[in-house]
């Protein structure tokens, strides 16, 4: 069964999430504090997706996310945000997260997002053979990793999928919708903004000067274009 970490300090929200994940065939692993979540991660290295609340009694969800991501590039991470939180601030701090869901959410919405993330993480598909090589970049589709000038760049699975889409479509302007549909799936219920958040992070990782991107260029009024 696919394990999902549920980090939420409010017991009633946590049990609501847990019940619904169980109903959808997942095995929830519960944590009420940030430190407890990190413990559960160590005990269960096969956790596929982590749901992380942000406001917690000890360390906040962003710090938990950073620590999980530092040791596990493959896991899917969804942040549980509150409507009262300022989204721009949340976006800026969401380093390493793949998605976010705003509270209050319906059980159907949450499980749909977990399902979509699991699919994206390649649970149901095998990696394809062959490398994509362009300019200084080599994308290894077998190990799902990226090198620039022979140096390994650590990518999340979502970032990898965006890179693959770019490298398969060099010189082509892709709209945010194209990227969202290809990487997140057509059934994704979230906002287009998630594309920009991931692109911004990807630029920091791969560009020589992220403030003046040369590889992932902005096409005003359209979206983004890859050139290498
Ligand atoms: Ca909380």
């Amino acid at each position: 069964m696919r394990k999902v970490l549920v980090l939420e300090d409010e017991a009633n929200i946590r049990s609501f999430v847990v019940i619904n994940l169980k109903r959808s065939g997942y095995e929830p692993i519960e944590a009420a504090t940030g430190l407890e979540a990190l413990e559960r991660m160590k005990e269960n290295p096969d956790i596929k997706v982590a749901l992380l609340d942000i406001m917690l009694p000890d360390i906040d969800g962003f710090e938990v996310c950073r620590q999980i991501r530092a040791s596990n590039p493959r896991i899917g991470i969804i942040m549980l945000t509150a409507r009262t939180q300022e989204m721009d601030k949340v976006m800026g701090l969401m380093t390493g997260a793949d998605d976010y869901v705003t509270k209050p959410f319906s059980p159907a919405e949450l499980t749909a997002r977990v399902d979509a993330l699991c699919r994206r993480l390649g649970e149901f598909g095998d990696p394809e053979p062959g490398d994509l090589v362009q300019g200084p970049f080599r994308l290894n589709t077998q190990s799902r990793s990226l090198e620039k000038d022979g140096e390994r760049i650590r990518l999340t699975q979502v970032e990898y999928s965006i890179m693959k889409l770019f490298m398969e479509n060099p010189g082509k302007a892709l709209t945010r919708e194209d990227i969202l549909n290809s990487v997140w799936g057509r059934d994704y219920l979230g906002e287009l903004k998630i594309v920009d958040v991931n692109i911004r992070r990807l630029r920091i990782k791969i560009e020589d000067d992220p403030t003046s991107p040369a590889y992932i260029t902005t096409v005003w009024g359209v979206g983004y274009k890859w050139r290498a």
Side-chain angles (χ1 to χ4, degrees):
M1 229 186 316
R2 291 165 292 171
K3 289 185 183 174
V4 177
L5 176 75
V6 181
L7 167 58
E8 168 63 67
D9 60 323
E10 281 170 66
N12 53 346
I13 300 181
R14 194 173 64 243
S15 61
F16 162 82
V17 170
V18 162
I19 288 165
N20 285 291
L21 286 173
K22 277 188 188 158
R23 251 182 222 151
S24 303
Y26 292 98
E27 184 185 343
I29 308 286
E30 294 181 57
T33 68
L35 294 174
E36 201 188 325
L38 295 172
E39 271 307 302
R40 295 290 95 80
M41 282 301 304
K42 270 187 214 135
E43 294 161 5
N44 301 277
D46 53 340
I47 287 174
K48 300 276 182 220
V49 172
L51 303 177
L52 307 179
D53 182 30
I54 294 172
M55 302 288 277
L56 296 161
D58 55 349
I59 53 173
D60 72 27
F62 298 119
E63 180 56 27
V64 176
C65 177
R66 269 191 296 274
Q67 293 201 29
I68 291 176
R69 184 58 84 206
S71 60
N72 189 335
R74 291 193 76 100
I75 192 171
I77 300 179
I78 300 176
M79 305 302 292
L80 306 178
T81 66
R83 270 200 207 291
T84 49
Q85 276 156 344
E86 210 200 304
M87 272 328 286
D88 283 348
K89 207 173 152 194
V90 170
M91 293 291 190
L93 292 166
M94 243 180 59
T95 48
D98 299 297
D99 200 357
Y100 67 95
V101 177
T102 307
K103 293 185 211 174
F105 44 77
S106 71
E109 184 187 0
L110 186 71
T111 48
R113 301 286 270 274
V114 174
D115 291 345
L117 190 53
C118 281
R119 266 200 304 281
R120 269 192 345 253
L121 299 175
E123 268 260 303
F124 308 113
D126 291 322
E128 304 142 48
D131 287 358
L132 285 166
V133 182
Q134 280 160 27
F137 298 99
R138 173 183 290 270
L139 193 75
N140 184 322
T141 53
Q142 204 107 54
S143 63
R144 299 172 73 87
S145 61
L146 179 71
E147 283 177 10
K148 181 185 178 187
D149 295 320
E151 296 266 330
R152 174 81 178 264
I153 297 175
R154 287 179 78 96
L155 297 181
T156 67
Q157 290 300 298
V158 165
E159 290 162 355
Y160 166 83
S161 300
I162 296 173
M163 274 304 291
K164 184 160 176 279
L165 179 66
F166 276 140
M167 291 180 77
E168 285 171 344
N169 294 280
K172 187 178 165 195
L174 299 171
T175 65
R176 287 174 177 79
E177 286 87 355
D178 291 336
I179 299 171
L180 197 74
N181 287 339
S182 166
V183 175
W184 280 265
R186 285 184 189 278
D187 53 354
Y188 179 73
L189 301 165
E191 298 162 40
L192 279 175
K193 215 171 173 180
I194 194 76
V195 173
D196 301 312
V197 173
N198 276 276
I199 297 283
R200 192 165 63 203
R201 214 158 58 196
L202 203 45
R203 278 174 167 163
I204 292 168
K205 292 187 181 182
I206 69 158
E207 295 284 349
D208 302 330
D209 175 7
T211 60
S212 160
Y215 302 115
I216 302 174
T217 54
T218 300
V219 184
W220 294 107
V222 182
Y224 299 98
K225 188 160 79 176
W226 172 255
R227 55 173 91 204

